[in-house]
């Protein structure tokens, strides 16, 4: 079974530029999460999708971040415009159902550096 | 904001010893508790999960949960240098997505 795929793996941009990340969860997984992990911190949830609907985006900085999962499969996360403090690893994770008690499977992450 | 607290460490133990990692949480409605291991530059991987009070053992790992004290711990017996990593405690947010602690850095010295 293929794992969670993410691209790109690394991205360097200048502040005020825009950037987009892509995630393809494990096949058949209904719930998809985007996390932001700043160096030395634990992952922080940005947005949770169940199929193509948003379950929780309370911690997503909506003035600059957006995310979509149009067909309930893969997802994109966009930052526009980027700030220095957005430098982090962006992790995508998925679970088969909708219950938080299920094991989350993480992708390899996208490392973003904003200069 | 519901909190998950961990000592950031580093926790240093000699090879073969028991490593004890601790975590406290603030949300009394939490039902699911996870320990993830994260090697430097890698994504988190699940080590253990526990839902009920008491102990749960899996090989060299034992998770302990005390809901009354809002406390969860991870014991690693016969620690190996390959166990050196950051250990993340994660707690469900009253049935919604997980809240992660900042992680405890573990160093196992030969």
């Amino acid at each position: 079974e293929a794992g969670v795929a993410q691209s790109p793996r690394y991205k360097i941009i200048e502040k005020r530029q825009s950037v987009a990340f892509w995630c393809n969860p494990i096949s058949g997984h209904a719930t998809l999460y985007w996390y932001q992990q700043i160096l030395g911190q634990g992952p922080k949830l940005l947005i949770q999708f169940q199929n193509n609907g948003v379950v929780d985006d309370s911690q997503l900085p909506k003035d600059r971040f957006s995310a979509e999962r149009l067909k309930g499969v893969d997802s994109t996360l966009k930052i526009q415009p980027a700030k220095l403090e957005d430098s982090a690893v962006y992790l995508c994770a998925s679970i088969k159902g909708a219950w938080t008690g299920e094991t989350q499977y993480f992708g390899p992450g996208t490392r973003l550096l904003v200069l | 904001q519901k909190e998950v607290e961990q000592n950031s460490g580093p926790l240093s133990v000699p090879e073969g010893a028991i490593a004890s990692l601790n975590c406290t949480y603030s949300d009394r409605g939490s039902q699911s508790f996870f320990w993830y291991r994260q090697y430097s530059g890698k994504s988190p991987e699940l080590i253990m999960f526990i839902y009920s009070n008491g102990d749960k053992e899996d090989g060299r790992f034992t998770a302990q949960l005390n809901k009354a004290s809002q406390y969860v711990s991870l014991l690693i017996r016969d620690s190996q240098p390959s166990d050196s990593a950051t250990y993340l405690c994660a707690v469900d947010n009253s049935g919604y997505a997980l809240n992660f602690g900042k992680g405890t850095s573990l160093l196992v010295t030969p």
Side-chain angles (χ1 to χ4, degrees), chain A residues 9 33 35 37 40-43 45 48 55-56 59 91 98-109 111, chain B residues 1 32 34 36 38 40-46 49 51 88 92-103:
Chain A
R9 294 295 307 277
Y33 306 88
Y35 290 93
Q37 187 174 24
Q41 305 287 319
L45 179 71
Q48 176 184 352
V55 175
D56 182 1
Q59 298 190 87
L91 294 164
W99 179 49
T100 312
E102 292 184 44
T103 300
Q104 292 191 18
Y105 295 92
F106 284 85
R111 300 180 180 282
Chain B
Q1 178 69 22
S32 308
F34 301 83
Y36 282 83
Q38 187 172 29
S40 180
K42 301 295 185 182
S43 56
E45 57 178 334
L46 182 70
F49 60 85
Y51 306 138
L88 298 165
D92 84 272
N93 182 10
S94 293
Y96 292 95
L98 296 181
N99 280 335
F100 283 84
K102 292 183 178 182

Side-chain angles (χ1 to χ4, degrees), chain B:
Chain B
Q1 178 69 22
K2 295 167 182 174
E3 302 288 339
V4 177
E5 300 286 345
Q6 294 182 256
N7 187 324
S8 61
L11 173 66
S12 183
V13 300
E15 184 175 356
I18 296 175
S20 177
L21 306 163
N22 305 314
C23 171
T24 59
Y25 60 95
S26 64
D27 182 6
R28 286 195 171 274
S30 297
Q31 298 293 321
S32 308
F33 306 87
F34 301 83
W35 284 100
Y36 282 83
R37 177 175 63 197
Q38 187 172 29
Y39 291 112
S40 180
K42 301 295 185 182
S43 56
E45 57 178 334
L46 182 70
I47 297 295
M48 294 277 297
F49 60 85
I50 186 167
Y51 306 138
S52 303
N53 275 330
D55 295 359
K56 179 181 179 182
E57 186 174 318
D58 184 1
R60 297 186 295 112
F61 299 94
T62 299
Q64 299 175 316
L65 175 62
N66 184 326
K67 290 185 179 180
S69 300
Q70 295 176 248
Y71 176 92
V72 59
S73 65
L74 179 71
L75 301 178
I76 306 174
R77 291 181 299 280
D78 188 23
S79 295
Q80 302 296 310
S82 59
D83 295 326
S84 298
T86 295
Y87 289 80
L88 298 165
C89 174
V91 177
D92 84 272
N93 182 10
S94 293
Y96 292 95
L98 296 181
N99 280 335
F100 283 84
K102 292 183 178 182
T104 297
S105 175
L106 173 66
L107 177 64
V108 181
T109 55

Side-chain angles (χ1 to χ4, degrees), chain A residues 2 4 11 13 19 21 23 30 33 43-44 47 50 55 58 63 77 81 83 89 92 95 97-98 105 110 112 114:
Chain A
V4 177
K11 192 73 177 179
I13 62 172
V19 64
F21 313 129
C23 171
Y33 306 88
K44 184 185 86 169
I47 190 166
Q50 186 175 339
V55 175
S58 58
D63 58 334
L77 175 69
K83 292 185 175 181
V89 177
C92 180
I95 61 173
Y105 295 92
T110 296
L112 174 66
V114 182

